[in-house]
């Protein structure tokens, strides 16, 4: 079956612009996660959704970052007024439900802020 | 807070060599422990996991044993292949509470023929 998909695969943007990153989880997966992978910081958790609610937003690095999930499916991560330090690979993962189940990762969106 | 420490890379081995990648963790209680692998140009894949003390996770010839007494989850493989070249990440999910995975920094493995 289809895995987690993310779009775009690559995004180059100018400093100060807003960007939207999209994640389509595996059908039927109720839990969705965003992580960021950068050279300096490794893999960092950003936010977790259960259904359309986000019980854990503790990893969002600043108020320029926000995310939403609609219909218990697609999620969008928005970064406003991008900075160079936002350059990273943004990974989305989903799992059948919360509680230690395997998280299936998408291929990521590589964001470059120039 | 919870954290994972894994050995710094890169690690370079010859084909058929023995592999160990060390991983230790800091967490209260009994976290679930995972090894993920990222092959060149691909996304993260779960390699193996263990959810309670003394459990052994295994997959594709790789093994790791959950050692509560040493808070460790070292990855081992008896005979590596060129196709095992990848970046390996150790991770934990805390018992109860947050659903997030906490990752180590990753260890890049290169296996030469």
């Amino acid at each position: 079956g289809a895995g987690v998909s993310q779009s775009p695969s690559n995004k180059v943007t100018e400093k100060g612009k807003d960007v939207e990153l999209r994640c389509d989880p595996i059908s039927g997966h109720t839990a969705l996660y965003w992580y960021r992978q950068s050279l300096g910081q490794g893999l960092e958790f950003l936010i977790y959704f259960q259904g359309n609610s986000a019980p854990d937003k503790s990893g969002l690095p600043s108020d320029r970052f926000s995310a939403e999930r609609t219909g218990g499916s697609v999620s969008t991560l928005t970064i406003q007024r991008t900075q160079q330090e936002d350059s990273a690979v943004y990974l989305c993962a989903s799992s059948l439900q919360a509680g230690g189940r395997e998280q299936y990762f998408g291929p990521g969106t590589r964001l470059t802020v120039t | 807070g919870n954290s994972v420490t894994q050995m710094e890379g890169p690690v370079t081995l010859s084909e058929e060599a023995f592999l160990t990648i060390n991983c230790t963790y800091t967490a209260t209680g009994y976290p679930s422990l995972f090894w993920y692998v990222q092959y060149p140009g691909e996304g993260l894949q779960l390699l193996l996991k263990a959810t309670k003390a003394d459990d052994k996770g295994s997959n594709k010839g790789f093994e790791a044993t959950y050692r509560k007494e040493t808070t460790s989850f070292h990855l081992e493989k008896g005979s590596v292949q060129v196709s095992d070249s990848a970046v390996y990440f150790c991770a934990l999910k805390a018992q109860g509470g947050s659903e997030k995975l906490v990752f180590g920094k990753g260890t890049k493995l290169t296996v030469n023929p």
Side-chain angles (χ1 to χ4, degrees):
Chain A
V4 177
S5 61
Q6 293 185 246
S7 60
S9 55
N10 280 286
K11 176 73 177 177
V12 180
T13 191
E14 292 180 351
K15 177 181 171 181
K17 301 282 191 184
D18 297 352
V19 294
E20 286 189 350
L21 312 179
R22 177 186 167 107
C23 171
D24 281 274
I26 294 171
S27 178
H29 280 196
T30 60
L32 186 147
Y33 314 78
W34 283 98
Y35 294 86
R36 178 168 73 172
Q37 185 174 22
S38 57
L39 279 177
Q41 302 299 322
L43 267 158
E44 306 171 281
F45 166 80
L46 297 177
I47 187 169
Y48 152 63
F49 287 93
Q50 179 59 44
N52 292 335
S53 301
D56 188 351
K57 308 179 184 180
S58 62
L60 294 177
S62 75
D63 59 8
R64 296 186 296 105
F65 287 72
S66 63
E68 65 174 11
R69 189 178 185 198
T70 55
S73 182
V74 170
S75 176
T76 303
L77 177 69
T78 301
I79 309 173
Q80 296 179 308
R81 304 181 301 283
T82 52
Q83 304 294 313
Q84 288 188 328
E85 61 263 28
D86 300 334
S87 296
V89 177
Y90 289 82
L91 297 171
C92 177
S94 69
S95 65
L96 190 57
Q97 62 187 57
R101 302 283 180 138
E102 177 180 353
Q103 295 182 22
Y104 294 83
F105 282 79
T109 293
R110 181 175 296 278
L111 175 66
T112 304
V113 182
T114 61
Chain B
N2 299 327
S3 65
V4 174
T5 302
Q6 61 182 103
M7 63 187 285
E8 298 280 334
V11 174
T12 302
L13 297 173
S14 297
E15 207 163 23
E16 299 183 3
F18 184 85
L19 169 70
T20 300
I21 301 178
N22 290 338
C23 172
T24 57
Y25 68 89
T26 300
T28 55
Y30 291 83
S32 296
L33 301 174
F34 305 85
W35 277 100
Y36 277 82
V37 58
Q38 189 171 35
Y39 296 105
E42 298 185 16
L44 276 170
Q45 304 173 25
L46 179 65
L47 181 60
L48 52 85
K49 69 177 182 181
T51 57
K52 59 183 189 292
D54 299 324
D55 266 2
K56 177 185 283 188
S58 61
N59 186 25
K60 299 182 181 180
F62 291 88
E63 292 183 340
T65 301
Y66 188 145
R67 301 284 188 204
K68 177 67 173 172
E69 63 275 16
T70 54
T71 61
S72 65
F73 194 54
H74 304 320
L75 182 68
E76 296 183 335
K77 186 174 186 183
S79 176
V80 293
Q81 305 301 311
V82 172
S83 57
D84 294 326
S85 297
V87 181
Y88 293 81
F89 293 90
C90 186
L92 70 81
K93 192 190 88 66
Q95 183 180 22
S98 175
E99 294 298 314
K100 68 184 180 186
L101 291 172
V102 176
F103 287 90
K105 297 256 185 223
T107 303
K108 183 175 181 180
L109 170 67
T110 300
V111 181
N112 294 318

